[in-house]
Amino acid sequence: KERSGNTWDIAFNVIEGPKYKIGSTELEGVTLFPEPLIKSATPLKAGDVAGLTAIDAGRTAVRDYFSSRGYVDTRVQTSTYPALDKPGVLNVVYTVTEGELTKIRNILIRGNTSTKDKVIRREILLNPGDIYDGVQAERSKKRLDNLGYFSDVRNYDATVNDETRDLIYELDEKSTGSMMVGAGFSSVDHLIGMFEISQSNFDLTNFKNFRGAGQKARLSLQVSADSTDLETSFVEPWFLDRRIALNVDGFIRNREYSEYDESRDGFSVGLAKHVPWV
């Protein structure tokens, strides 16, 4: 390292070691499932570059194999050793401590002051009485995050007995509405006024604050001296409590010309079905 005034320049000398590839993948401590099935679920294959990220992804896959089948307390540790007869080859060992089969008693939701319980529960891929699938519990958390209604989503469990737990989701709600007011200028319409209001967690039946049912609504108005454009849209993502989205759009457009006036209005209604693998 060199010093110039009050500034230090630091140099790191790197001595690169040999590049290793994956040889064999071994499992220890497994009694509940056939080892070939567990190995086939891991992304780590013979000949892959022996990177720490890839090895850790294999460990996660082994843990998820047990967790998705109700053994959520299963722990997996990783160790490696070089193949003595094959230079540059690293063998990986996953040591598994199997947990106990666990079921869900209740699914509890906390922190939702505006959003209805059913809006949250329909995004959770587990039900009371199910085997505690840890992978689906995490996927449900991501689905709740993706709604955009919450600033934070946390999930954990509470032990009831050795074989049963309560699954808990804690939520921090955030603002889901927006309003925009603006002005513009064009050579055709000259001065234009714009207004838009939207709510991504709308509730058509809640006349107090119109919030909480997971619907989406938008109203847009654009006005100038010679024209008026009004657009509105409404989306019910779970029409009739099924994962079918109802889309309703409408518009009114009026424009004044020197020779005549023009008025247009219309609406559209559509249904969209959820694609299962998304």
Side-chain angles (χ1 to χ4, degrees):
K1 57 186 178 180
E2 298 179 358
R3 182 175 180 179
S4 176
N6 295 324
T7 303
W8 287 87
D9 294 325
I10 301 176
F12 295 93
N13 294 321
V14 178
I15 301 175
E16 296 180 338
K19 183 178 181 179
Y20 282 89
K21 292 188 176 181
I22 298 296
S24 65
T25 302
E26 303 171 16
L27 295 171
E28 294 183 353
V30 174
T31 63
L32 295 171
F33 304 104
E35 290 189 15
L37 289 180
I38 301 174
K39 288 181 179 180
S40 67
T42 66
L44 202 63
K45 307 300 179 185
D48 290 350
V49 175
L52 292 178
T53 301
I55 293 173
D56 191 59
R59 181 189 66 82
T60 299
V62 173
R63 185 190 62 198
D64 286 350
Y65 187 93
F66 285 84
S67 180
S68 66
R69 289 157 176 79
Y71 299 89
V72 291
D73 285 337
T74 296
R75 300 190 305 276
V76 181
Q77 293 180 318
T78 305
S79 58
T80 59
Y81 66 93
L84 299 179
D85 56 340
K86 297 179 180 179
V89 175
L90 198 66
N91 298 325
V92 181
V93 181
Y94 295 116
T95 303
V96 179
T97 305
E98 296 172 330
E100 297 292 330
L101 182 64
T102 306
K103 290 188 175 182
I104 297 173
R105 185 184 69 168
N106 294 316
I107 297 177
L108 306 177
I109 299 171
R110 298 172 179 170
N112 55 314
T113 57
S114 297
T115 307
K116 293 180 178 179
D117 260 26
K118 77 171 187 177
V119 173
I120 299 167
R121 291 186 183 275
R122 67 194 184 192
E123 301 296 333
I124 297 174
L125 303 171
L126 296 166
N127 296 295
D130 287 352
I131 288 175
Y132 190 167
D133 185 333
V135 174
Q136 293 290 61
E138 278 299 311
R139 187 181 174 198
S140 299
K141 176 184 178 297
K142 292 179 181 178
R143 285 167 61 116
L144 292 172
D145 273 325
N146 291 338
L147 288 176
Y149 306 158
F150 313 107
S151 59
D152 189 27
V153 179
R154 302 171 296 280
N155 68 304
Y156 57 92
D157 54 66
T159 301
V160 178
N161 53 50
D162 291 341
E163 300 177 351
T164 310
R165 297 183 188 180
D166 288 339
L167 179 59
I168 303 166
Y169 288 88
E170 284 192 352
L171 318 165
D172 293 333
E173 291 190 314
K174 67 179 182 180
S175 175
T176 52
S178 66
M179 184 175 68
M180 181 186 72
V181 179
F185 183 86
S186 75
S187 59
V188 176
D189 293 316
H190 304 294
L191 185 63
I192 304 171
M194 294 170 286
F195 173 79
E196 181 175 307
I197 186 170
S198 64
Q199 174 58 258
S200 62
N201 190 11
F202 189 67
D203 186 353
L204 186 61
T205 63
N206 183 356
F207 296 103
K208 184 177 180 180
N209 57 20
F210 292 99
R211 184 183 177 198
Q215 302 159 352
K216 300 183 187 299
R218 182 181 69 90
L219 177 67
S220 175
L221 177 64
Q222 182 172 298
V223 179
S224 70
D226 300 323
S227 66
T228 302
D229 291 341
L230 176 66
E231 295 182 4
T232 183
S233 64
F234 172 81
V235 179
E236 169 54 81
W238 286 74
F239 183 53
L240 300 178
D241 289 328
R242 298 174 180 269
R243 203 165 191 192
I244 298 175
L246 171 67
N247 303 277
V248 180
D249 297 284
F251 68 89
I252 299 174
R253 298 190 178 101
N254 296 315
R255 181 173 290 275
E256 297 179 2
Y257 297 95
S258 56
E259 295 84 5
Y260 64 93
D261 295 341
E262 181 184 43
S263 179
R264 295 183 182 184
D265 58 74
F267 73 95
S268 64
V269 179
L271 294 174
K273 184 173 175 57
H274 170 69
V275 180
W277 55 83
V278 175

